[in-house]
Amino acid sequence: MSVMTSAHIVRQRLRRVPLSVIVVSIILAVIVLLAVFAPLVAPFDPNKQTLLARLKEPGFSYRGMTYWLGTDDLGRDLLSRTLYGARVSLGVACLSVVVSTIVGVSLGMVAGWFRGWTETIIMRLVDIMMSIPAILLAVLTVAVLGPGFMKLVLVLGLTRWPRYTRIAYAQTLQVSNLPFIKASELAGAGAIRILLHHVLPNIAGPILIVVTAEFGLMILMESGLSFLGLGIQPPSASWGSIMSTGRQYIERAWWIVAVPGFGLFLLVFSVNVLGDWLRDQLDPRSRSR
Amino acid sequence: MINYAVQRFIQAIIAIVGVLTIVFVVMHLSGDPTLLLVPQDASAEMIAELRSQLGFDRPIYVQYLDYIYGLTHLDFGMSVVQRVPALDIVASRLPYTIQLAAGALLVAIGVGIPAGIIMATMRGSVIERILTAIVVTGQSVPTFLSGILLIFVFGVTLRWLPTSGAGELSAMIMPSIALGALSMSTFARMTRIAIIDELSKDYVRAGRARGLSLGQVVFRHVLRNASIPVITIAALEIGNLLAGAVIIETVFAWPGIGQLAIQSIQSRDFLVVQVIVLLISFVYVLTSVLADLVYVFVDPRIRLVR
């Protein structure tokens, strides 16, 4: 794998972006905007209960207000809750990816640069972390620590860093033998400076591939944990927790599951399509198709 | 070969000790594990009594050594709620989860590998595009969502299949599909990549030059070579399926260890949760060792390199 991957190749290839990628990018942008501006867009207070409007179908009107996507078991507007839920899903996913990228990439670069016992310890720890299925470790840790937004971010971030470490480590090993890095080392640059200014920019491409793949996975993990009742706690809306309620009312009110479920699917699908395309652009091996 | 196997087993043992340590650390993250094991309204005396009874008032390294010592004697502690060994509770639920994971693996391999073969050999065709769309979709639907959708369509609307429980064989169909969908996508992708990799090699061109059809080359030669990366995936997927059972068993009220894990968290029976996490991690480590050994067995080239 050559090191001049990123910049040049990306610029060349961005001119031929397939339609599907453009479409999912737009979907992604719309979801992000809706989430960010949820307080402005949402027609109702997401936690306002209207007991006379419980489990009503999409389009139901009550006192001159229309519930476009129906209501849940407590008469709360599903559209508003789903919009607010998007904030939780995206927020947790973004922050936890940031946490695991910072932790994982720094450890990987350190292991690849210093070698020796540092390398042995870090990479052994990676092997060990990767032998516990992430969802299980997350379930156990959240159950021990108790629920909460920041705890969820930390738990997800700190269970998933080994993926980044593996990539950052392998890439750093390759890059660190290149002439310009040897040159700056001889010129007296310190390890931190070399890693941040010379190594990091050159290993960013492969890391970006991991970031997109992990982002979709984090959204799934957050919604899974919330579905199990271990993530975001009521009354706050999260797609997972809304769907967990919906599971109980599936026979009478399918829309409680369908609305956040469709949102979740659209979000993860878009991220995955985008990630696949990105990988094809940056990874010469899989570009064969 | 034997050297390599021994080496690999030593690595596995290190990994398992590491897993035990991480689980121990996590259990102590809250500061005092006693609080995890008592009802929320427990009195201070009750907590203190249980703390000394379980030995949580001793120095942390004594607790750690005691914990490891216990585990080597298959002593996983007693369930605080049910007053029986935690291992027994888990063992009684395990057969259900094995059943479910086997069903899911069947779905994943049975659909995923043929799909991957088709996607690799019929590139550019309409069928490939449709399959690609299905694979990406399978990857993007969380297991609990596909589970609920299946329940809605085949359980509630059509009334063809039972929506929960584990009585007859028909109750296994929906949970297996929901659990296997994600792995199915993984198998399809890996098979596709493995075959495409192989198709670009000289022996394929040679085979075609001898007048063999693409299908003949694929079935006689390519599949065997492409099977190696797929075997590794299969091993890793077994662990993933067991972990995924935590969610899918909750959706379908399937009485396996996944449902048990969530129930035990709710009833604050953390030693049971600990057994489940350890058990699944052991399976994860062992299957990856086995995969590596099979790998070497199938492909003698790897032996020479090491």
Side-chain angles (χ1 to χ4, degrees), chain A residues 128-131 133 136 139 143-144 220 223-224 227-228 243 247 250 254 261 264-265 269 272 276 279 285 289, chain B residues 18-19 22 26 123 137 140-142 144-145 148 152 189 192 197 243 246 250-251 265 270 280-281 284-285:
Chain A
I128 291 168
M129 286 292 289
M130 288 180 78
S131 29
L136 271 189
V139 163
V144 168
L220 291 181
S223 61
F227 178 81
L228 292 172
M243 289 163 77
R247 162 74 180 92
I250 186 80
W254 52 268
L264 192 57
F265 165 71
F269 182 81
N272 283 346
D276 278 0
R279 184 178 46 209
R285 219 175 82 90
R289 72 172 182 184
Chain B
V19 169
I22 288 179
V26 168
R123 286 202 279 167
T137 309
S140 315
V141 183
F144 60 90
L145 177 57
I148 299 174
F152 180 68
R189 292 166 71 101
R192 172 181 165 272
D197 256 15
V246 173
T250 306
V251 174
I265 288 172
F270 270 81
I280 296 178
S281 306
Y284 213 66
V285 173

